[in-house]
């Protein structure tokens, strides 16, 4: 037996998991019998019994016996890696509401800039100082610009994904998250 970093575990390697240890990669039990806590993956609080021929998943906790397993899923192929990839893919997708926010921002921002330029020109034509006119034009930009709309939508999607993940709910796409909000 030797202890090696998880990055060096290859497919079909034999690894041993002692009681209280986390299972490092997915595999099949070749020797031993134990109860494995799979709540991190399944949400089920009752440990699952594992014996010869049973599948084990990375990220689960061996609770009682010693297991000797043959690795079948390593690296990017492990269950935990696939869950992480799915969550990051969901965060990268655009919800329909975000597309609407982008369209609104695409029209509204040029309008706000035009109004700010008009305010600047009007105050300058009325004989006010450049600083005074510029302050009023910047105020129009700051107050009216829909930047919050463009920023708040993706942030809301990320927060929703995070809250769902804490509750054991994973969304494949941002559209799924939006549709879940409409569920009664």
């Amino acid at each position: 037996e030797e202890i090696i970093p998880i990055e060096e575990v290859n497919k079909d390697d034999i690894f041993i998991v002692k009681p209280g240890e986390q299972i490092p990669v997915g595999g099949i039990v070749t020797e031993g019998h134990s109860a494995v806590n799979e709540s991190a993956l399944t949400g089920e609080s009752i440990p699952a019994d594992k014996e010869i021929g049973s599948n084990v998943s990375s990220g689960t906790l061996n609770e009682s016996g010693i297991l000797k397993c043959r690795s079948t899923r390593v690296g990017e192929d492990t269950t935990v890696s696939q869950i992480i990839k799915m969550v990051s893919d969901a965060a990268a997708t655009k919800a329909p509401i975000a597309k609407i926010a982008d369209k609104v921002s695409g029209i509204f921002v040029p309008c706000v800039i035009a109004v700010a330029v008009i305010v600047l020109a009007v105050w300058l034509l009325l004989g006010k100082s450049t600083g005074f006119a510029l302050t009023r034009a910047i105020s129009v930009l700051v107050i009216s610009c829909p930047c919050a709309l463009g920023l708040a939508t993706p942030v809301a999607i990320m927060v929703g994904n995070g809250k769902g993940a804490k509750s054991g709910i994973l969304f494949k796409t941002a559209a799924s998250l939006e549709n879940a909000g409409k569920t009664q």
Side-chain angles (χ1 to χ4, degrees):
E1 290 182 25
E2 69 178 280
I3 297 173
I4 62 170
I6 194 167
E7 296 84 22
E8 293 180 19
V9 177
N10 296 314
K11 192 172 181 178
D12 293 326
D13 283 354
I14 301 294
F15 62 93
I16 295 173
V17 186
K18 296 176 182 168
E21 292 182 342
Q22 217 173 20
I23 297 174
V25 294
I28 298 173
V29 177
T30 57
E31 267 183 52
H33 179 78
S34 182
V36 175
N37 183 341
E38 297 179 332
S39 62
L41 296 180
T42 64
E44 177 59 53
S45 60
I46 300 171
D49 287 331
K50 300 294 179 178
E51 53 193 27
I52 296 172
S54 297
N55 287 319
V56 291
S57 297
S58 62
T60 58
L61 185 67
N62 182 14
E63 290 193 343
S64 55
I66 295 176
L67 294 175
K68 188 180 265 191
C69 307
R70 182 175 46 83
S71 61
T72 57
R73 292 171 291 162
V74 296
E76 297 292 318
D77 196 29
T78 63
T79 307
V80 173
S81 293
Q82 290 173 351
I83 290 172
I84 291 168
K85 184 180 180 323
M86 186 173 70
V87 170
S88 66
D89 287 349
T93 61
K94 254 193 183 184
I97 192 75
K99 291 175 184 172
I100 293 170
D102 289 346
K103 285 180 183 176
V104 169
S105 295
I107 295 168
F108 197 62
V109 169
C111 292
V112 169
I113 291 171
V115 169
V117 169
I118 291 169
V119 166
L120 178 69
V122 166
W123 282 114
L124 288 174
L125 291 174
L126 290 174
K128 296 293 183 176
S129 70
T130 306
F132 182 86
L134 201 56
T135 301
R136 298 312 177 263
I138 290 172
S139 296
V140 168
L141 278 175
V142 170
I143 293 169
S144 303
C145 192
C147 295
L149 188 63
L151 293 173
T153 306
V155 170
I157 291 167
M158 286 190 333
V159 168
N161 274 332
K163 288 274 192 187
K166 283 182 182 176
S167 300
I169 302 167
L170 301 176
F171 296 96
K172 283 189 171 185
T173 63
S176 303
L177 175 63
E178 185 177 331
N179 290 335
K182 298 173 185 172
T183 304
Q184 295 190 10

